[in-house]
């Protein structure tokens, strides 16, 4: 059975207080990290564009986000006349709450491998360095990201205005399309780890760089996950949801003041959470060399550094890649990513089966190759036929 | 004690949501109430230790199906209160009432006849004997029920292909609509 060892011997007051401290630390960490993420993004993008960026509030403009936050509080809170009052108020909270909750399943520290199972001891109690380790683990993340769609969708609809509605319809179509690829890339990791629990997934990757699922799953699932995650986050180059040139601000056009701040917060928080999830799934979570016997210190540092690398990647995407057109977006999602990851999932499952039942190498991979050749050529033929029909339709005009 | 509390709260959420689905004037509110009911059911699943079913409940039903409902409601523009007095068949209202009363009567009759509605039997999907429910569910799906499972997936594929074929428009000749379909 999976689960935090904290609860094995019943729950008492100390357990509850440890839990409360964990929740508080995760909450504060996310808020502060979001604040600096906004600053980091603005500063980095201005560097990439030969600008200076925020530099007035605090040293190097570090307090700029804080100043913006305070300003949001004092802004007038508008509600359009056509808006649906209840849903209009509900939507930002759905976005913010799901963004907070997703982070709960990420293990942010603890040393794995070499006999230790990633526990740390606080007040004489052994526990994991993550807020919760439910048996469904990574499915919880998928559940939260599918609920997060509601925030965007309802915000767009409840505003009672054109551009938000178009933005939210785009957003939900995009989220549903890429959720399939995201989910299947996750399934590859789950097949390799043999567990859904995030803690178990990290534990399965302990023991050096080559054990990371980035390597043992053959990089493809990671690339698919990265692309799908970027789309799921509505980050550039997949930010059609709030394409300024076409939709004003997309789903949050009509929002102002603190409600807009909540959307803003949720968006950046999701970037951090998604980076953390990628580190957990493919980069061994908190795995890394430990110096001076400080087993409680180094894993968390490695984890944070890895997350920071991904945050940089997301900002980099934004600064360098042009936005996709809507049909390109759908094309990439449905015709490229999903068939690719579906094939990869079958391949990895076959590889695992072969290892378990000790099947013959040549027969197994020979059969797989024949199946791939047949299935692949059928798929390519179908895609070509579809494209041709589409082109003909265009030319007939 | 805690179990009872969880059950009562989740059951209340389910019932309020279900009533809301029927009573809300605005279709979008109805759909949101449906999400609330589904969440209540997910909590009940967790209380039964059926974690996987709870996750699937949220991911598939709340996360995909109701989103599609909302999608259709928004795209068709029926997202304002409708005149519910209109009905397509003259006896529709009464038939609905009759069926609703009938189903309620069946449920109540079952509870009364069986006499002991609480059997104490554990759910098939629950964590029996320490194995986690995902493993258990997978084992029965891919051994005992593998034909039923595969046939169901085949049925779904047929339904998808059927839907695509049905909505496929004949070749567009009107230039205005063709341009809409293009880029």
């Amino acid at each position: 059975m999976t689960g935090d060892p904290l609860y094995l011997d019943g729950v008492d007051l100390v357990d509850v207080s440890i839990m409360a401290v964990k929740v508080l630390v995760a909450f504060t960490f996310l808020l502060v990290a979001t604040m600096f993420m906004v600053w980091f993004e603005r500063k980095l993008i201005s560097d990439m564009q030969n600008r200076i960026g925020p530099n007035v509030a605090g040293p190097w403009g570090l307090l700029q986000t804080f100043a913006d936050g305070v300003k949001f509080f004092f802004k007038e809170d508008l509600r359009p006349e056509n808006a649906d009052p209840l849903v209009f108020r509900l939507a930002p909270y759905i976005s913010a709450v799901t963004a907070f909750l997703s982070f709960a399943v990420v293990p942010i520290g603890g040393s794995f491998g070499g006999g230790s199972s990633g526990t740390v001891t606080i007040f004489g109690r052994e526990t994991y360095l993550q807020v919760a380790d439910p048996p469904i683990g990574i499915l919880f993340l998928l559940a939260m990201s599918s609920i997060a769609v509601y925030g965007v969708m309802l915000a767009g609809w409840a505003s009672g205005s054109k551009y938000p509605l178009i933005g939210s319809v785009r957003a939900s179509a995009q989220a549903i399309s890429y959720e399939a690829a995201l989910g299947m890339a996750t399934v590859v990791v789950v097949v390799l780890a043999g567990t859904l629990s995030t803690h178990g997934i990290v534990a399965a990757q302990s023991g050096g760089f080559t054990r990371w699922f980035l390597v043992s799953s053959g990089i493809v699932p990671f690339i698919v996950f990265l692309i799908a995650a970027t789309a799921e986050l509505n980050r550039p180059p997949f930010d059609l949801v709030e394409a300024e040139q076409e939709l004003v601000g997309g789903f949050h056009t009509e929002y102002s003041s603190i409600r807009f701040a909540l959307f803003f917060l949720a968006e950046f928080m999701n970037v951090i959470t998604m980076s953390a999830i990628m580190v957990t799934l493919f980069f061994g979570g908190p795995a890394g060399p430990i110096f001076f016997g400080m087993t409680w210190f180094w894993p968390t540092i490695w984890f944070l550094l890895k997350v920071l690398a991904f945050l940089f990647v997301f900002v980099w995407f934004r600064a360098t890649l042009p936005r996709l057109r809507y049909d390109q977006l759908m094309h990439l999602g449905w015709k490229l990513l999903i068939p690719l990851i579906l094939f990869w999932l079958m391949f990895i499952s076959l590889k695992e089966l072969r290892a378990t039942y000790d099947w013959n190498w040549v027969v197994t991979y020979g059969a797989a190759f024949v199946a791939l050749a047949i299935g692949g050529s059928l798929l390519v033929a179908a895609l070509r036929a579809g494209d041709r029909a589409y082109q003909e339709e265009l030319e007939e005009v | 004690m805690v179990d009872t509390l969880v059950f009562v709260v989740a059951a209340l959420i389910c019932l309020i949501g279900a009533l809301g689905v029927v009573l809300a004037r605005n279709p979008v509110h109805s759909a949101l109430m449906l999400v609330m009911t589904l969440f209540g059911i997910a909590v009940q699943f967790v209380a039964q230790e059926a974690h996987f079913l709870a996750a699937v409940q949220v991911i598939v039903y709340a996360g995909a199906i109701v989103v599609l409902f909302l999608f259709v409601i928004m795209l068709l523009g029926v997202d304002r209160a409708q005149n519910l007095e209109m009905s397509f068949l003259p006896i529709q209202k009464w038939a609905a009432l009759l069926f609703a009363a009938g189903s309620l009567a069946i449920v109540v009759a079952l509870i009364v006849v069986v006499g002991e509605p609480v059997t104490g039997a554990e759910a098939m999907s629950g964590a029996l004997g320490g194995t986690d429910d995902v493993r258990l569910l997978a084992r029965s799906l891919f051994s005992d029920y593998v034909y039923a499972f595969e046939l169901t997936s085949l049925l779904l594929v047929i339904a998808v292909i059927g839907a695509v074929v049905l909505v496929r428009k004949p070749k567009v000749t009107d230039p205005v609509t063709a341009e809409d379909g293009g880029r």
Side-chain angles (χ1 to χ4, degrees):
Chain A
M1 279 299 276
T2 55
D4 202 323
L6 187 64
Y7 310 120
L8 282 185
D9 49 350
V11 177
D12 60 9
L13 202 61
V14 182
D15 292 346
V16 173
S17 6
I18 291 178
M19 194 63 210
V21 168
K22 276 204 248 176
V23 171
L24 210 65
V25 168
F27 184 79
T28 323
F29 168 75
L30 259 187
L31 273 185
V32 174
T34 308
M35 210 174 108
F36 286 115
M37 173 64 196
V38 177
W39 171 82
F40 179 68
E41 170 147 8
R42 291 178 66 173
K43 210 63 180 166
L44 206 60
I45 285 197
S46 40
D47 272 355
M48 289 181 187
Q49 295 170 345
N50 274 334
R51 293 185 287 117
I52 294 172
N55 67 342
V56 175
W60 309 290
L62 264 174
L63 295 177
Q64 183 63 46
T65 322
F66 186 67
D68 287 344
V70 172
K71 189 175 154 192
F72 273 132
F73 272 103
F74 290 108
K75 284 280 181 184
E76 186 188 356
D77 187 14
L78 293 170
R79 186 163 60 75
E81 204 177 306
N82 279 336
D84 184 308
L86 189 70
V87 180
F88 186 78
R89 258 173 277 168
L90 179 71
Y93 294 101
I94 297 182
S95 280
V97 168
T98 50
F100 269 117
L101 283 180
S102 326
F103 196 74
V105 295
V106 179
I108 58 164
S111 140
F112 292 81
S116 55
S117 60
T119 56
V120 290
T121 311
I122 308 173
F123 302 127
R125 305 292 168 99
E126 280 211 349
T127 183
Y128 295 159
L129 269 184
Q130 67 192 87
V131 175
D133 181 32
I136 48 169
I138 201 72
L139 286 185
F140 180 79
L141 171 90
L142 292 182
M144 282 307 120
S145 82
S146 57
I147 295 304
V149 177
Y150 280 101
V152 174
M153 196 167 188
L154 293 176
W157 173 79
S159 298
S161 148
K162 269 183 245 140
Y163 293 124
L165 185 65
I166 299 173
S168 75
V169 168
R170 273 190 189 180
S172 16
Q174 180 176 331
I176 292 176
S177 306
Y178 279 82
E179 219 157 68
L182 190 82
M184 270 188 282
T186 315
V187 170
V188 174
V189 170
V190 171
V191 165
L192 285 171
T195 175
L196 285 170
S197 140
T198 42
H199 184 266
I201 288 173
V202 171
Q205 297 178 74
S206 64
F209 174 69
T210 50
R211 305 260 306 156
W212 290 1
F213 288 143
L214 171 74
V215 179
S216 57
S217 71
I219 300 184
V220 171
F222 165 68
I223 293 171
V224 171
F225 194 95
L226 182 64
I227 296 174
T230 316
E232 197 82 349
L233 293 168
N234 300 327
R235 297 269 312 174
F238 301 105
D239 61 338
L240 290 97
V241 177
E242 38 197 295
E244 292 87 352
Q245 296 85 347
E246 309 158 19
L247 295 176
V248 191
F251 65 94
H252 56 57
T253 305
E254 301 290 354
Y255 280 87
S256 60
S257 181
I258 195 65
R259 294 205 184 109
F260 172 75
L262 279 177
F263 277 124
F264 197 67
L265 189 77
E267 199 180 314
F268 278 90
M269 220 181 290
N270 278 329
V271 175
I272 295 172
T273 309
M274 218 28 128
S275 308
I277 291 291
M278 269 189 281
V279 170
T280 306
L281 288 182
F282 295 102
F283 287 81
I290 289 167
F291 306 113
F292 317 118
M294 293 202 287
T295 48
W296 52 271
F297 175 69
W298 285 105
T300 308
I301 294 297
W302 292 125
F303 175 80
L304 291 179
L305 282 179
K306 288 176 196 170
V307 170
L308 194 66
F310 274 106
L311 295 182
F312 178 82
V313 168
F314 278 124
V315 178
W316 195 11
F317 280 173
R318 173 166 166 189
T320 47
L321 294 175
R323 185 183 301 133
L324 267 74
R325 217 170 48 212
Y326 192 73
D327 60 328
Q328 291 172 330
L329 175 91
M330 286 297 157
H331 187 96
L332 177 68
W334 289 102
K335 295 184 182 170
L336 191 68
L337 290 187
I338 291 182
L340 178 66
I341 194 67
L342 201 57
F343 159 71
W344 208 262
L345 174 60
M346 287 188 183
F347 175 69
I348 293 284
S349 313
L350 190 74
K351 189 177 136 250
E352 291 289 295
L353 271 180
R354 199 209 64 78
T356 316
Y357 293 106
D358 204 24
W359 289 343
N360 187 304
W361 277 85
V362 181
V363 175
T364 314
Y365 290 121
F369 184 75
V370 171
L372 171 68
I374 296 173
S377 45
L378 277 178
L379 186 71
V380 169
L383 289 179
R384 281 221 176 133
D387 274 351
R388 218 176 305 131
Y390 182 62
Q391 291 300 333
E392 271 171 23
E393 221 164 74
L394 286 183
E395 277 163 19
E396 263 174 36
V397 178
Chain B
M1 177 54 207
V2 178
D3 286 349
T4 322
L5 194 71
V6 169
F7 173 78
V8 169
V9 172
L12 271 180
I13 290 176
C14 288
L15 287 180
I16 294 172
L19 281 177
V21 173
V22 184
L23 295 179
R25 292 243 141 202
N26 188 323
V28 173
H29 292 177
S30 286
L32 287 182
M33 286 303 205
L34 185 58
V35 177
M36 192 163 116
T37 307
L38 295 171
F39 262 104
I41 295 173
V43 172
Q44 301 284 32
F45 275 135
V46 172
Q48 302 282 327
E49 302 258 305
H51 298 278
F52 185 71
L53 284 188
V56 169
Q57 180 86 12
V58 174
I59 295 173
V60 175
Y61 283 90
I65 293 183
V66 181
V67 168
L68 287 181
F69 283 3
L70 280 174
F71 217 75
V72 171
I73 292 171
M74 287 177 188
L75 285 184
L76 292 186
V78 289
D79 51 348
R80 294 281 168 245
Q82 297 279 305
N83 182 7
L84 299 171
E85 294 302 312
M86 185 188 75
S87 62
F88 299 104
L89 294 170
I91 53 161
Q92 199 176 15
K93 220 182 199 176
W94 298 108
L97 210 62
L98 190 73
F99 277 116
S103 350
L104 185 67
I106 291 176
V107 173
V108 171
L110 273 179
I111 293 174
V112 171
V113 169
V114 175
E116 206 179 329
V118 182
T119 59
E122 285 189 50
M124 178 59 196
S125 50
L128 282 174
T131 343
D132 66 279
D133 59 321
V134 183
R135 230 168 271 274
L136 207 69
L137 208 66
R139 199 160 289 156
S140 42
L141 261 189
F142 287 108
S143 58
D144 293 350
Y145 305 109
V146 68
Y147 291 119
F149 179 66
E150 294 295 343
L151 283 177
T152 313
S153 58
L154 192 66
L155 191 68
L156 285 176
V157 172
I158 293 172
V160 168
I161 294 176
V164 170
V165 170
L166 281 180
V167 299
R168 220 185 121 75
K169 276 180 287 185
K171 291 227 161 172
V172 189
T173 41
D174 182 15
V176 178
T177 17
E179 211 159 299
D180 275 350
R183 20 197 99 178

